[in-house]
Amino acid sequence: MSTLESARRALWRFLQDRRRLSGLLWQLLVVGIAIAAVGWLWSNALHNLSVRRISTGFAFLGREAGMPIADSWIAYGPRDPYARAFLVGIVNTLRVAVIGVVLATVLGTLVGIARLSSNWLLSRLAAVYVEVLRDVPLLLQLLFWYVLMQGLPAARTAWKPVDGVFLSNRGLVLPSIPIEEANLWVIGTAVLGLIALYFIRRRLIAQQMADGRTRHVWPHALALLVALPALLSWALGASWRITLPELRGFNFVGGLTLAPEYFALLIALVTYTSAFIAEIVRSGIQAVHIGQWDAAKALGLRRSFMLRHIVLPQALRVIIPPMTSQYLNLTKNSSLAVAVGYQDIVSIANTTLNQTGQAIEAIALIMLVFLTISLGISLFMNWYNARIALVER
């Protein structure tokens, strides 16, 4: 009987090994076919380009671009090479993506909470906001905001909602602080101090859990976020004087100007994405068991306190995964900037393509930039999602 049983087990292991080997061979075959197909397409493209006497490669990045870029946060001139122009396009894309993600998250969270409000008018207005913006195509919303920006008064008769803030067909003009090398060093020091403070706080909490002694984090915060940046600012002579914009002639001088193309694109992306985020937040809050609310009410806690400290921390486990998709969608939807003339990476790559004729390289650079940004967002959100996930004992 034991001999028969061992023979069966040996046969079962053989069949399992054979299935694994067969599965591995099929995977290698599929990967080989895919690589061969890509190689054939690539060689075919190179042959056709050589027949048409179109140069290939990325050597064009070192040539003079000759294209003007109106809205840029880094120094650029038409005599700079294409590599510099692509860098400007990447920065412009990140300007929209990063600021848009932050604003859409804040606005979407507020609208999602408003949808669950006991105030009938507030909840209905939030519902109308969500349904209207979700059902209208993003491109139409972008064109609407751009046309609306063009219909604003001229610079001489600009709207002035707050002292130092102007809104006209030239865009939104805000007070600004001159960012020089010394300022960047101070800001970088503050960011590093904030990161160090995060790890110090974790260590202090672990020590407090071990021995029960209370340890305050505020002295470390004062030293890392206030004292050290202030000392460095004094040593480098950094200037933090706020510059107010002034109208001179037909345009504004000083301050920070958000071009109408950028402003329209940012508003369209933020409002459109916030409508989807609002539904994600609403569903995440409703996923928390009603017993959590009842227990908090029984303790006499305020509704705002319950929402911040009890409900939202639990709802994040439901909210974060679909929120990642919305962040990726906002980043990729920023490529619609070409519709209003905002010069992001897509617009600059299209201009480069028309000037040099190197379509494959230009499209490859666009794909690489968006792939890198999207993978970065996904990695960060997956890390954060793993941090807040429930750990079963």
Side-chain angles (χ1 to χ4, degrees), residues 155 158-162 164-168 171-174 245-247 252:
W159 293 345
K160 190 178 180 182
V162 184
V165 177
F166 299 91
L167 184 62
S168 68
L172 180 65
V173 186
L174 304 169
E246 297 179 1
L247 179 63
F252 294 98

Side-chain angles (χ1 to χ4, degrees), residues 337-349:
V338 294
V340 294
Y342 177 69
Q343 291 176 293
D344 67 336
I345 183 64
V346 177
S347 176
I348 291 174

Side-chain angles (χ1 to χ4, degrees), residues 68-77 80-95 342-345 348:
I69 299 179
D71 192 3
S72 172
W73 276 10
I74 61 176
Y76 173 81
D80 288 329
Y82 282 107
R84 186 75 175 181
F86 272 95
L87 180 61
V88 173
I90 294 172
V91 172
N92 286 350
T93 298
L94 290 175
R95 284 174 58 193
Y342 177 69
Q343 291 176 293
D344 67 336
I345 183 64
I348 291 174

Side-chain angles (χ1 to χ4, degrees), residues 71 95-96 103 142 145-146 149 152 166-168 170-174 257-270 340 342:
D71 192 3
R95 284 174 58 193
V96 176
L103 295 180
L142 175 58
W145 287 111
Y146 182 66
M149 288 293 298
L152 291 175
F166 299 91
L167 184 62
S168 68
R170 299 293 180 91
L172 180 65
V173 186
L174 304 169
T257 301
L258 302 181
E261 296 82 8
Y262 172 78
F263 196 42
L265 177 65
L266 186 63
I267 293 177
L269 289 175
V270 167
V340 294
Y342 177 69

